[in-house]
Amino acid sequence: MGLGDMMKMMQQAQEMQERMQRMQEELASATVTGSAGGGLVTVEADGRGQIRAVRLDKSVVDPNDVEMLEDLLTVAVSDAQEKAAAHAQQEMAKLTGGLNLPFKLPF
């Protein structure tokens, strides 16, 4: 491999890193919503799965049935995180041109 090839590879690596940084910023500003109980519990997260907000319908706040509310929250958070992961995977596919990379990227 010649010096020119090495410089080209380094430039391509730098460009990929810049695109990854932009993608991370876009994921941070994206919004996904998970829900449970037919929308009685909703969870809003960013594209990285970080929870931003939780909304509860008053009808699910029953002091005699806290376990149901806990279950609904768990389902809604999982739903939001799954949607965030799917969104991130779509963005990664755009970035890599659909390549199947033999390693997991750091996020």
Side-chain angles (χ1 to χ4, degrees):
M1 178 183 306
L3 184 59
D5 290 335
M6 184 75 131
M7 294 296 286
K8 186 175 181 180
M9 281 181 58
M10 289 176 64
Q11 181 181 0
Q12 288 173 339
Q14 177 67 30
E15 289 171 1
M16 177 64 92
Q17 188 168 357
E18 289 170 5
R19 288 194 300 261
M20 288 284 294
Q21 181 63 36
R22 280 194 304 274
M23 187 185 79
Q24 286 294 323
E25 291 167 3
E26 290 170 9
L27 288 175
S29 66
T31 301
V32 297
T33 302
S35 66
L40 295 175
V41 175
T42 59
V43 173
E44 185 178 291
D46 67 19
R48 298 172 304 181
Q50 298 296 310
I51 306 304
R52 290 184 181 155
V54 174
R55 291 181 185 80
L56 307 174
D57 185 278
K58 289 179 183 182
S59 67
V60 299
V61 183
D62 179 355
N64 297 314
D65 194 1
V66 174
E67 287 179 5
M68 180 189 68
L69 180 54
E70 291 170 342
D71 291 345
L72 289 171
L73 281 167
T74 300
V75 170
V77 167
S78 292
D79 187 37
Q81 290 175 329
E82 287 173 14
K83 288 177 179 176
H87 178 71
Q89 189 173 11
Q90 288 175 335
E91 293 302 309
M92 180 54 65
K94 290 180 200 174
L95 183 68
T96 62
L99 294 175
N100 258 342
L101 299 177
F103 53 88
K104 182 169 174 37
L105 292 167
F107 59 83

